[in-house]
Amino acid sequence: LVCVLCVVCVCIMYVCVETPDDSSKPNVLRCIYFNISLRKVDQSKCRTLDLPRNLYVTSDPDDTIGYENAVEEARELFQVLCPGEPFLPPPPDPEDILYEQ
C-alpha cells in the first residue's frame, strides 16, 4: 500500500509513463523506492512466550542515524545478564599495563 501511494505521488508531481505528457511537469529519469519494516521488541512480552530461558530477543536496527538505541538496548540486556557489572568499561591506560618477561 505504501509503495502504491509513492507511485501515485510521483506520477502526480512528475511526468511518468502512466501519466500523459504534460510540459509543465519535470520528467522522471529514474525513480527508486525503499521500504523497510522495523520490529521493536518488548522484553516483558517475550518472557510470556514459550521460549528457552537463555534466549533473548532484540529489536531490529532502527531508522535513525547512529547507534544510540541499539547501545541502550544492549546496556539493558547486559544488566539483565550481568547485574552490577560495568557496561563497556574504559580500557586501561597503555602505560599502566605490565608485561611479564
Coordinates of all heavy atoms in Angstrom, one line a residue:
L1 N 0.8 -1.2 0.0 CA 0.0 0.0 0.0 C 0.9 1.3 0.0 O 0.6 2.2 -0.7 CB -0.9 0.0 1.2 CG -1.8 1.2 1.4 CD1 -2.8 1.3 0.2 CD2 -2.6 1.2 2.7
V2 N 1.9 1.3 0.8 CA 2.8 2.4 0.9 C 3.5 2.7 -0.5 O 3.6 3.8 -1.0 CB 3.8 2.3 2.0 CG1 4.9 3.4 2.0 CG2 3.2 2.2 3.3
C3 N 3.9 1.6 -1.1 CA 4.6 1.7 -2.4 C 3.7 2.3 -3.5 O 4.0 3.1 -4.3 CB 5.2 0.4 -2.8 SG 6.3 0.5 -4.2
V4 N 2.4 1.8 -3.4 CA 1.4 2.3 -4.4 C 1.2 3.8 -4.2 O 1.1 4.6 -5.1 CB 0.1 1.5 -4.2 CG1 -1.0 2.2 -5.1 CG2 0.3 0.1 -4.6
L5 N 1.1 4.3 -2.9 CA 0.9 5.7 -2.6 C 2.1 6.5 -3.1 O 2.0 7.6 -3.6 CB 0.7 5.9 -1.2 CG -0.5 5.4 -0.6 CD1 -0.6 5.5 0.9 CD2 -1.8 6.0 -1.2
C6 N 3.3 5.9 -3.0 CA 4.5 6.6 -3.5 C 4.5 6.8 -5.0 O 4.8 7.9 -5.6 CB 5.8 5.9 -3.2 SG 6.2 5.9 -1.4
V7 N 4.0 5.8 -5.7 CA 3.9 5.8 -7.2 C 2.9 6.9 -7.6 O 3.1 7.7 -8.5 CB 3.6 4.4 -7.8 CG1 3.2 4.5 -9.3 CG2 4.7 3.5 -7.5
V8 N 1.8 6.9 -6.9 CA 0.7 7.9 -7.2 C 1.3 9.3 -7.0 O 1.0 10.2 -7.8 CB -0.5 7.6 -6.4 CG1 -1.5 8.8 -6.5 CG2 -1.2 6.3 -6.8
C9 N 2.0 9.5 -5.9 CA 2.5 10.9 -5.6 C 3.5 11.3 -6.7 O 3.5 12.4 -7.1 CB 3.2 10.9 -4.3 SG 2.0 10.8 -2.9
V10 N 4.4 10.4 -7.1 CA 5.4 10.7 -8.1 C 4.7 11.0 -9.4 O 5.1 11.9 -10.1 CB 6.4 9.5 -8.2 CG1 7.3 9.7 -9.5 CG2 7.3 9.5 -7.0
C11 N 3.7 10.2 -9.8 CA 3.0 10.5 -11.1 C 2.2 11.8 -11.1 O 2.0 12.3 -12.1 CB 2.1 9.3 -11.4 SG 3.1 7.8 -11.8
I12 N 1.8 12.2 -9.9 CA 1.1 13.5 -9.8 C 2.0 14.6 -10.0 O 1.8 15.6 -10.7 CB 0.3 13.6 -8.5 CG1 -0.9 12.7 -8.5 CG2 -0.2 15.0 -8.2 CD1 -1.6 12.6 -7.1
M13 N 3.2 14.5 -9.4 CA 4.2 15.6 -9.3 C 5.1 15.7 -10.6 O 5.6 16.7 -10.9 CB 5.1 15.5 -8.1 CG 4.3 15.7 -6.8 SD 5.2 15.3 -5.3 CE 6.7 16.3 -5.5
Y14 N 5.3 14.6 -11.3 CA 6.2 14.5 -12.4 C 5.5 13.8 -13.6 O 4.5 13.2 -13.4 CB 7.5 13.7 -12.0 CG 8.2 14.3 -10.8 CD1 8.0 13.7 -9.5 CD2 9.0 15.4 -11.0 CE1 8.7 14.2 -8.5 CE2 9.7 15.9 -9.9 CZ 9.5 15.3 -8.6 OH 10.2 15.8 -7.5
V15 N 6.2 13.9 -14.7 CA 5.7 13.2 -15.9 C 6.2 11.8 -15.8 O 7.4 11.6 -15.8 CB 6.2 13.9 -17.2 CG1 5.8 13.1 -18.4 CG2 5.6 15.3 -17.3
C16 N 5.3 10.8 -15.8 CA 5.7 9.4 -15.7 C 5.1 8.7 -17.0 O 4.4 9.2 -17.8 CB 5.1 8.7 -14.5 SG 5.7 9.4 -13.0
V17 N 5.4 7.4 -17.1 CA 4.9 6.6 -18.2 C 3.4 6.5 -18.0 O 2.7 6.5 -19.0 CB 5.6 5.2 -18.1 CG1 4.9 4.3 -19.2 CG2 7.0 5.3 -18.3
E18 N 2.9 6.4 -16.8 CA 1.5 6.3 -16.5 C 0.7 7.6 -16.8 O -0.5 7.5 -16.9 CB 1.3 5.8 -15.1 CG 1.8 4.4 -14.8 CD 3.2 4.5 -14.4 OE1 3.8 5.5 -14.2 OE2 3.8 3.4 -14.2
T19 N 1.3 8.7 -16.8 CA 0.6 10.0 -17.0 C 0.8 10.5 -18.4 O 1.9 10.3 -19.0 CB 1.1 11.0 -15.9 OG1 2.5 11.2 -16.1 CG2 0.8 10.6 -14.5
P20 N -0.1 11.2 -18.9 CA 0.1 11.8 -20.2 C 1.1 12.9 -20.2 O 1.5 13.4 -19.1 CB -1.3 12.4 -20.6 CG -2.1 12.5 -19.3 CD -1.4 11.5 -18.4
D21 N 1.7 13.2 -21.4 CA 2.7 14.2 -21.4 C 2.2 15.6 -21.0 O 1.3 16.1 -21.6 CB 3.3 14.3 -22.9 CG 4.5 15.1 -22.9 OD1 5.2 15.3 -21.9 OD2 4.8 15.6 -24.0
D22 N 2.8 16.2 -20.0 CA 2.4 17.5 -19.5 C 3.7 18.3 -19.4 O 4.6 18.0 -18.6 CB 1.8 17.3 -18.1 CG 1.2 18.7 -17.6 OD1 1.4 19.7 -18.3 OD2 0.7 18.7 -16.5
S23 N 3.9 19.3 -20.2 CA 5.1 20.1 -20.3 C 5.4 20.9 -19.1 O 6.5 21.4 -18.9 CB 5.1 20.9 -21.6 OG 4.0 21.8 -21.5
S24 N 4.4 21.1 -18.2 CA 4.6 21.9 -17.0 C 5.2 21.1 -15.9 O 5.6 21.7 -14.9 CB 3.2 22.5 -16.5 OG 2.4 21.5 -16.1
K25 N 5.3 19.8 -16.0 CA 5.9 19.0 -15.0 C 7.3 18.5 -15.5 O 7.5 18.3 -16.6 CB 5.0 17.8 -14.7 CG 3.7 18.0 -14.2 CD 2.9 16.7 -14.0 CE 1.5 17.0 -13.5 NZ 0.8 15.7 -13.4
P26 N 8.2 18.4 -14.5 CA 9.5 17.8 -14.9 C 9.4 16.3 -15.2 O 8.5 15.6 -14.7 CB 10.4 18.1 -13.7 CG 9.4 18.3 -12.6 CD 8.2 18.8 -13.1
N27 N 10.3 15.8 -16.0 CA 10.4 14.4 -16.3 C 11.1 13.6 -15.2 O 12.1 14.1 -14.7 CB 11.1 14.1 -17.7 CG 10.3 14.7 -18.8 OD1 9.1 14.6 -18.8 ND2 11.0 15.2 -19.8
V28 N 10.6 12.4 -15.0 CA 11.3 11.5 -14.1 C 12.3 10.6 -14.9 O 11.9 9.9 -15.8 CB 10.3 10.6 -13.3 CG1 11.0 9.6 -12.5 CG2 9.3 11.4 -12.5
L29 N 13.5 10.7 -14.5 CA 14.5 9.9 -15.2 C 14.6 8.5 -14.6 O 14.7 7.5 -15.2 CB 15.9 10.6 -15.2 CG 15.9 12.0 -15.9 CD1 17.3 12.6 -15.8 CD2 15.5 11.8 -17.4
R30 N 14.7 8.5 -13.3 CA 14.7 7.3 -12.5 C 14.0 7.4 -11.2 O 14.2 8.4 -10.5 CB 16.2 6.9 -12.3 CG 16.3 5.6 -11.6 CD 17.7 5.1 -11.6 NE 18.0 4.8 -13.0 CZ 19.2 4.5 -13.5 NH1 20.2 4.4 -12.7 NH2 19.4 4.2 -14.7
C31 N 13.3 6.5 -10.8 CA 12.5 6.5 -9.6 C 12.8 5.2 -8.8 O 12.5 4.2 -9.3 CB 11.1 6.7 -9.9 SG 10.1 7.1 -8.4
I32 N 13.3 5.4 -7.6 CA 13.6 4.2 -6.8 C 12.9 4.3 -5.4 O 12.8 5.4 -4.8 CB 15.1 4.1 -6.5 CG1 15.8 3.9 -7.9 CG2 15.4 2.9 -5.6 CD1 17.3 4.0 -7.8
Y33 N 12.3 3.2 -5.0 CA 11.6 3.2 -3.7 C 12.3 2.2 -2.8 O 12.8 1.2 -3.2 CB 10.1 2.7 -3.9 CG 9.4 3.6 -4.8 CD1 9.2 3.2 -6.2 CD2 8.8 4.8 -4.5 CE1 8.5 4.0 -7.1 CE2 8.2 5.6 -5.3 CZ 8.0 5.2 -6.6 OH 7.3 6.0 -7.5
F34 N 12.4 2.6 -1.5 CA 13.0 1.8 -0.5 C 12.0 1.6 0.7 O 11.6 2.6 1.3 CB 14.3 2.4 -0.1 CG 15.0 1.6 1.1 CD1 15.6 0.4 0.8 CD2 15.0 2.1 2.3 CE1 16.2 -0.3 1.8 CE2 15.6 1.4 3.4 CZ 16.2 0.2 3.1
N35 N 11.7 0.4 1.0 CA 10.8 0.2 2.1 C 11.5 -0.7 3.1 O 12.2 -1.7 2.7 CB 9.5 -0.5 1.7 CG 8.6 0.3 0.8 OD1 8.6 1.5 1.0 ND2 7.9 -0.3 -0.1
I36 N 11.3 -0.5 4.4 CA 11.9 -1.3 5.4 C 10.9 -1.4 6.6 O 10.3 -0.4 7.0 CB 13.3 -0.8 5.9 CG1 13.9 -1.7 6.9 CG2 13.1 0.6 6.5 CD1 15.4 -1.4 7.2
S37 N 10.7 -2.6 7.1 CA 9.9 -2.8 8.2 C 10.8 -3.0 9.5 O 11.7 -3.7 9.4 CB 8.9 -4.0 8.1 OG 9.7 -5.2 7.9
L38 N 10.4 -2.3 10.5 CA 11.2 -2.3 11.7 C 10.4 -3.0 12.8 O 9.2 -2.7 13.0 CB 11.6 -0.9 12.2 CG 12.4 -0.1 11.2 CD1 12.5 1.3 11.6 CD2 13.7 -0.8 10.9
R39 N 11.1 -3.9 13.6 CA 10.4 -4.6 14.7 C 11.0 -4.1 16.0 O 12.2 -4.1 16.1 CB 10.6 -6.1 14.5 CG 9.9 -6.7 13.3 CD 10.3 -8.1 13.1 NE 11.7 -8.1 12.9 CZ 12.3 -9.1 12.2 NH1 11.7 -10.1 11.7 NH2 13.6 -9.0 12.0
K40 N 10.1 -3.7 16.9 CA 10.5 -3.3 18.2 C 10.1 -4.4 19.2 O 9.0 -4.8 19.1 CB 9.9 -1.9 18.6 CG 10.3 -1.4 19.9 CD 11.7 -0.9 19.8 CE 12.1 -0.3 21.2 NZ 13.5 -0.2 21.3
V41 N 11.0 -4.8 20.0 CA 10.7 -5.9 20.9 C 10.5 -5.4 22.3 O 11.2 -4.6 22.8 CB 12.0 -6.9 20.9 CG1 11.8 -8.0 22.0 CG2 12.2 -7.5 19.6
D42 N 9.4 -5.9 22.9 CA 9.1 -5.6 24.3 C 9.5 -6.9 25.1 O 8.9 -7.9 25.0 CB 7.6 -5.4 24.5 CG 7.2 -5.0 25.9 OD1 8.1 -4.8 26.7 OD2 6.0 -4.8 26.1
Q43 N 10.6 -6.7 25.9 CA 11.2 -7.8 26.6 C 10.2 -8.5 27.6 O 10.2 -9.7 27.9 CB 12.4 -7.4 27.4 CG 13.6 -7.1 26.5 CD 14.1 -8.3 25.7 OE1 13.9 -9.4 26.0 NE2 14.7 -8.0 24.5
S44 N 9.3 -7.6 28.2 CA 8.3 -8.2 29.1 C 7.3 -9.2 28.4 O 6.9 -10.2 29.0 CB 7.5 -7.1 29.8 OG 6.8 -6.3 28.9
K45 N 7.0 -8.9 27.2 CA 6.1 -9.8 26.5 C 6.8 -11.0 26.0 O 6.2 -12.1 25.9 CB 5.5 -9.0 25.3 CG 4.5 -8.0 25.6 CD 3.9 -7.3 24.4 CE 2.9 -6.2 24.8 NZ 2.4 -5.5 23.7
C46 N 8.1 -10.9 25.7 CA 8.9 -12.0 25.3 C 9.0 -13.1 26.4 O 9.1 -14.3 26.1 CB 10.3 -11.6 24.9 SG 10.3 -10.8 23.3
R47 N 9.0 -12.6 27.7 CA 9.1 -13.6 28.8 C 7.9 -14.4 28.9 O 7.9 -15.5 29.5 CB 9.4 -12.8 30.1 CG 10.7 -12.2 30.1 CD 11.9 -13.2 30.2 NE 12.8 -13.0 29.1 CZ 13.4 -14.0 28.4 NH1 13.3 -15.2 28.7 NH2 14.2 -13.7 27.4
T48 N 6.7 -13.9 28.4 CA 5.5 -14.7 28.4 C 5.4 -15.8 27.3 O 4.5 -16.6 27.4 CB 4.3 -13.8 28.4 OG1 4.3 -13.1 27.1 CG2 4.3 -12.8 29.5
L49 N 6.2 -15.7 26.3 CA 6.2 -16.6 25.2 C 6.9 -17.9 25.7 O 7.7 -17.9 26.7 CB 6.9 -16.1 24.0 CG 6.3 -14.8 23.4 CD1 7.2 -14.3 22.3 CD2 4.9 -15.1 22.9
D50 N 6.7 -19.0 25.0 CA 7.3 -20.3 25.3 C 8.7 -20.4 24.6 O 8.9 -21.1 23.7 CB 6.4 -21.4 24.8 CG 6.8 -22.7 25.3 OD1 7.5 -22.8 26.4 OD2 6.5 -23.8 24.6
L51 N 9.6 -19.5 25.1 CA 11.0 -19.5 24.6 C 11.9 -20.1 25.7 O 11.6 -20.1 26.9 CB 11.4 -18.1 24.3 CG 10.6 -17.3 23.2 CD1 11.1 -15.9 23.2 CD2 10.8 -18.0 21.9
P52 N 13.0 -20.6 25.2 CA 14.0 -21.1 26.2 C 14.4 -19.9 27.1 O 14.5 -18.8 26.7 CB 15.2 -21.6 25.4 CG 14.6 -21.8 24.0 CD 13.5 -20.9 23.9
R53 N 14.8 -20.2 28.4 CA 15.1 -19.2 29.3 C 16.4 -18.4 29.0 O 16.6 -17.3 29.4 CB 15.3 -19.8 30.7 CG 13.9 -20.3 31.3 CD 14.0 -20.7 32.7 NE 14.5 -19.6 33.5 CZ 15.0 -19.7 34.7 NH1 15.0 -20.9 35.3 NH2 15.4 -18.7 35.4
N54 N 17.3 -19.1 28.2 CA 18.6 -18.4 27.9 C 18.5 -17.7 26.5 O 19.5 -17.4 25.9 CB 19.7 -19.4 27.9 CG 19.5 -20.6 26.9 OD1 18.4 -20.7 26.4 ND2 20.5 -21.3 26.7
L55 N 17.3 -17.6 25.9 CA 17.2 -16.9 24.6 C 16.6 -15.5 24.9 O 15.5 -15.3 25.5 CB 16.2 -17.7 23.7 CG 15.9 -17.1 22.4 CD1 17.2 -17.1 21.5 CD2 14.8 -17.8 21.7
Y56 N 17.3 -14.5 24.4 CA 16.8 -13.1 24.5 C 16.6 -12.5 23.1 O 17.5 -12.7 22.2 CB 17.9 -12.2 25.3 CG 17.9 -12.6 26.7 CD1 18.8 -13.6 27.1 CD2 17.1 -12.0 27.6 CE1 18.9 -14.0 28.5 CE2 17.2 -12.4 29.0 CZ 18.0 -13.4 29.4 OH 18.1 -13.7 30.7
V57 N 15.5 -11.9 22.9 CA 15.2 -11.3 21.6 C 15.5 -9.8 21.6 O 15.2 -9.1 22.6 CB 13.7 -11.6 21.3 CG1 13.3 -11.0 19.9 CG2 13.3 -13.0 21.4
T58 N 16.1 -9.3 20.5 CA 16.4 -7.9 20.4 C 15.6 -7.3 19.2 O 15.2 -8.0 18.3 CB 17.9 -7.7 20.2 OG1 18.3 -8.3 19.0 CG2 18.6 -8.2 21.4
S59 N 15.6 -6.0 19.2 CA 14.9 -5.2 18.1 C 15.8 -5.1 16.9 O 17.0 -5.3 17.0 CB 14.5 -3.8 18.6 OG 13.7 -3.9 19.7
D60 N 15.2 -4.8 15.8 CA 15.9 -4.5 14.6 C 16.6 -3.2 14.7 O 16.2 -2.3 15.5 CB 15.0 -4.5 13.4 CG 14.4 -5.8 13.0 OD1 15.1 -6.8 13.3 OD2 13.4 -5.8 12.3
P61 N 17.7 -3.0 14.0 CA 18.3 -1.6 14.0 C 17.2 -0.6 13.4 O 16.5 -1.0 12.5 CB 19.5 -1.7 13.0 CG 19.7 -3.2 12.9 CD 18.5 -3.9 13.1
D62 N 17.1 0.5 14.1 CA 16.1 1.4 13.7 C 16.6 2.4 12.5 O 17.7 2.2 12.0 CB 15.6 2.2 14.9 CG 16.7 3.0 15.6 OD1 17.8 3.1 15.0 OD2 16.4 3.6 16.6
D63 N 15.7 3.3 12.2 CA 16.0 4.1 11.0 C 16.7 5.4 11.4 O 16.7 6.4 10.6 CB 14.7 4.5 10.3 CG 13.6 5.1 11.2 OD1 13.8 5.1 12.4 OD2 12.6 5.6 10.7
T64 N 17.2 5.5 12.6 CA 18.0 6.8 13.0 C 19.4 6.6 12.6 O 19.9 5.6 12.4 CB 17.9 7.0 14.5 OG1 18.4 5.9 15.2 CG2 16.4 7.2 14.9
I65 N 20.1 7.8 12.5 CA 21.5 7.8 12.2 C 22.2 7.7 13.5 O 21.9 8.4 14.5 CB 21.9 9.1 11.5 CG1 21.2 9.2 10.2 CG2 23.4 9.2 11.4 CD1 21.4 10.5 9.5
G66 N 23.0 6.7 13.6 CA 23.7 6.4 14.9 C 23.2 5.1 15.5 O 22.3 4.5 15.0
Y67 N 23.8 4.8 16.7 CA 23.6 3.5 17.3 C 23.1 3.7 18.7 O 23.1 2.8 19.5 CB 24.8 2.7 17.3 CG 25.3 2.3 16.0 CD1 26.4 3.0 15.4 CD2 24.7 1.3 15.2 CE1 26.8 2.7 14.1 CE2 25.1 1.0 14.0 CZ 26.2 1.7 13.4 OH 26.6 1.3 12.2
E68 N 22.5 4.9 19.1 CA 22.2 5.2 20.5 C 21.1 4.2 21.0 O 21.2 3.7 22.1 CB 21.6 6.6 20.6 CG 22.7 7.7 20.4 CD 22.8 8.1 19.0 OE1 22.0 7.7 18.1 OE2 23.8 8.7 18.7
N69 N 20.1 3.9 20.1 CA 19.0 3.0 20.6 C 19.5 1.6 20.7 O 19.2 0.9 21.7 CB 17.8 3.1 19.6 CG 17.2 4.4 19.6 OD1 17.3 5.1 20.6 ND2 16.5 4.7 18.6
A70 N 20.4 1.1 19.8 CA 20.9 -0.2 19.9 C 21.8 -0.4 21.1 O 21.8 -1.4 21.8 CB 21.7 -0.6 18.6
V71 N 22.6 0.6 21.4 CA 23.5 0.6 22.6 C 22.7 0.6 23.9 O 23.0 -0.1 24.8 CB 24.5 1.8 22.5 CG1 25.3 1.9 23.9 CG2 25.5 1.6 21.4
E72 N 21.6 1.4 23.9 CA 20.8 1.4 25.1 C 20.1 0.1 25.3 O 20.0 -0.4 26.4 CB 19.7 2.5 25.0 CG 18.9 2.7 26.2 CD 19.7 3.0 27.4 OE1 20.7 3.7 27.3 OE2 19.3 2.5 28.5
E73 N 19.6 -0.6 24.2 CA 19.0 -1.9 24.4 C 20.1 -2.9 24.8 O 19.8 -3.8 25.6 CB 18.4 -2.3 23.0 CG 17.6 -3.6 23.1 CD 16.9 -3.9 21.9 OE1 17.0 -3.2 20.9 OE2 16.2 -5.0 21.9
A74 N 21.3 -2.8 24.3 CA 22.4 -3.7 24.7 C 22.7 -3.5 26.2 O 23.0 -4.5 26.9 CB 23.6 -3.5 23.8
R75 N 22.7 -2.3 26.6 CA 23.0 -1.9 28.0 C 21.9 -2.6 28.9 O 22.3 -3.2 30.0 CB 23.1 -0.4 28.2 CG 23.4 0.0 29.6 CD 23.3 1.5 29.8 NE 23.8 2.3 28.7 CZ 25.1 2.6 28.5 NH1 26.0 2.2 29.3 NH2 25.4 3.4 27.5
E76 N 20.7 -2.4 28.5 CA 19.6 -3.0 29.3 C 19.7 -4.5 29.4 O 19.5 -5.2 30.4 CB 18.2 -2.6 28.8 CG 17.9 -1.1 28.9 CD 16.7 -0.7 28.2 OE1 16.1 -1.6 27.5 OE2 16.4 0.5 28.2
L77 N 20.0 -5.2 28.3 CA 20.1 -6.6 28.2 C 21.4 -7.1 29.0 O 21.3 -8.1 29.7 CB 20.3 -7.1 26.8 CG 20.3 -8.6 26.5 CD1 19.1 -9.2 27.1 CD2 20.4 -8.8 25.0
F78 N 22.4 -6.3 29.0 CA 23.6 -6.6 29.7 C 23.4 -6.6 31.2 O 23.8 -7.4 32.0 CB 24.8 -5.7 29.4 CG 26.1 -6.0 30.0 CD1 26.9 -7.0 29.5 CD2 26.5 -5.3 31.2 CE1 28.1 -7.3 30.1 CE2 27.7 -5.6 31.8 CZ 28.5 -6.6 31.3
Q79 N 22.6 -5.6 31.7 CA 22.2 -5.5 33.1 C 21.4 -6.7 33.6 O 21.4 -7.1 34.7 CB 21.5 -4.2 33.4 CG 22.4 -3.0 33.3 CD 23.7 -3.1 34.2 OE1 23.6 -3.5 35.3 NE2 24.8 -2.8 33.6
V80 N 20.6 -7.2 32.6 CA 19.8 -8.4 33.0 C 20.7 -9.6 33.1 O 20.6 -10.4 34.0 CB 18.7 -8.7 31.9 CG1 18.1 -10.0 32.1 CG2 17.6 -7.6 31.9
L81 N 21.7 -9.8 32.2 CA 22.6 -10.9 32.2 C 23.7 -10.8 33.2 O 24.0 -11.8 33.8 CB 23.2 -11.0 30.8 CG 22.3 -11.3 29.6 CD1 23.0 -11.3 28.3 CD2 21.6 -12.7 29.8
C82 N 24.2 -9.6 33.5 CA 25.3 -9.4 34.4 C 25.0 -8.3 35.3 O 25.6 -7.2 35.2 CB 26.6 -9.2 33.6 SG 27.1 -10.4 32.4
P83 N 24.1 -8.4 36.3 CA 23.7 -7.3 37.1 C 24.9 -6.8 37.9 O 25.7 -7.6 38.5 CB 22.6 -7.8 38.0 CG 22.7 -9.3 37.9 CD 23.4 -9.6 36.6
G84 N 25.1 -5.5 38.0 CA 26.1 -4.9 38.8 C 27.4 -4.8 38.1 O 28.3 -4.1 38.6
E85 N 27.6 -5.4 37.0 CA 28.9 -5.3 36.2 C 28.9 -4.0 35.4 O 27.8 -3.6 34.8 CB 29.1 -6.5 35.3 CG 29.3 -7.8 36.1 CD 30.6 -7.8 36.9 OE1 31.6 -7.3 36.4 OE2 30.6 -8.3 38.0
P86 N 30.0 -3.4 35.2 CA 30.0 -2.2 34.3 C 29.9 -2.6 32.8 O 30.4 -3.6 32.4 CB 31.4 -1.6 34.6 CG 32.3 -2.7 35.1 CD 31.3 -3.7 35.8
F87 N 29.1 -1.8 32.1 CA 28.9 -2.0 30.7 C 29.9 -1.2 29.9 O 30.0 0.0 30.0 CB 27.5 -1.5 30.3 CG 27.1 -1.7 28.9 CD1 26.9 -2.9 28.3 CD2 27.1 -0.6 28.1 CE1 26.6 -3.1 27.0 CE2 26.7 -0.7 26.7 CZ 26.5 -2.0 26.2
L88 N 30.7 -1.9 29.1 CA 31.8 -1.4 28.3 C 32.7 -0.5 29.1 O 32.8 0.8 28.9 CB 31.2 -0.6 27.1 CG 30.5 -1.4 26.1 CD1 29.9 -0.5 25.0 CD2 31.4 -2.4 25.4
P89 N 33.4 -1.0 30.1 CA 34.3 -0.2 30.9 C 35.4 0.4 30.0 O 35.8 -0.2 29.0 CB 34.8 -1.2 31.9 CG 34.7 -2.5 31.3 CD 33.5 -2.4 30.4
P90 N 36.0 1.5 30.4 CA 37.0 2.1 29.6 C 38.3 1.2 29.6 O 38.6 0.6 30.7 CB 37.3 3.5 30.2 CG 36.7 3.4 31.6 CD 35.6 2.4 31.5
P91 N 39.0 1.1 28.6 CA 40.2 0.3 28.6 C 41.3 0.9 29.5 O 41.3 2.1 29.7 CB 40.7 0.3 27.1 CG 40.1 1.5 26.5 CD 38.8 1.8 27.3
P92 N 42.2 0.1 30.0 CA 43.3 0.7 30.8 C 44.2 1.5 30.0 O 44.4 1.4 28.8 CB 44.0 -0.5 31.4 CG 43.7 -1.6 30.4 CD 42.3 -1.3 29.8
D93 N 44.9 2.5 30.7 CA 45.9 3.3 30.0 C 47.0 2.4 29.6 O 47.5 1.6 30.4 CB 46.4 4.4 31.0 CG 47.2 5.4 30.4 OD1 47.2 5.5 29.1 OD2 47.9 6.2 31.1
P94 N 47.5 2.5 28.4 CA 48.6 1.7 27.9 C 49.8 1.7 28.8 O 50.6 0.8 28.9 CB 48.9 2.2 26.5 CG 47.7 2.8 26.1 CD 47.0 3.4 27.3
E95 N 50.1 2.8 29.4 CA 51.3 3.0 30.3 C 51.1 2.2 31.6 O 52.1 1.8 32.2 CB 51.5 4.4 30.6 CG 51.8 5.3 29.4 CD 51.9 6.8 29.7 OE1 51.7 7.1 30.9 OE2 52.3 7.5 28.8
D96 N 49.9 1.8 32.0 CA 49.6 1.1 33.2 C 49.7 -0.4 33.0 O 49.6 -1.2 34.0 CB 48.3 1.5 33.8 CG 48.2 2.9 34.2 OD1 49.3 3.5 34.5 OD2 47.1 3.5 34.3
I97 N 49.8 -0.9 31.8 CA 49.8 -2.3 31.5 C 51.2 -2.9 31.8 O 52.2 -2.3 31.2 CB 49.4 -2.6 30.1 CG1 48.0 -2.1 29.8 CG2 49.5 -4.1 29.8 CD1 47.5 -2.3 28.4
L98 N 51.3 -3.9 32.6 CA 52.6 -4.5 32.9 C 52.7 -5.8 32.1 O 51.8 -6.7 32.1 CB 52.7 -4.8 34.4 CG 52.6 -3.6 35.3 CD1 52.6 -4.1 36.8 CD2 53.8 -2.7 35.1
Y99 N 53.8 -5.9 31.4 CA 54.1 -7.1 30.6 C 55.1 -8.0 31.3 O 56.1 -7.5 31.8 CB 54.6 -6.7 29.2 CG 53.7 -5.9 28.3 CD1 53.8 -4.5 28.2 CD2 52.6 -6.5 27.7 CE1 52.9 -3.8 27.4 CE2 51.7 -5.8 26.9 CZ 51.9 -4.4 26.8 OH 51.0 -3.7 26.0
E100 N 54.7 -9.3 31.4 CA 55.6 -10.2 32.0 C 56.7 -10.6 31.0 O 56.5 -10.8 29.8 CB 54.9 -11.5 32.4 CG 53.9 -11.2 33.5 CD 53.2 -12.5 34.0 OE1 53.7 -13.5 33.7 OE2 52.1 -12.3 34.5
Q101 N 57.9 -10.8 31.5 CA 59.0 -11.2 30.7 C 59.6 -12.5 31.1 O 59.7 -12.9 32.1 CB 60.1 -10.1 30.6 CG 59.6 -8.8 30.0 CD 60.7 -7.8 29.9 OE1 61.8 -8.0 30.2 NE2 60.3 -6.6 29.6

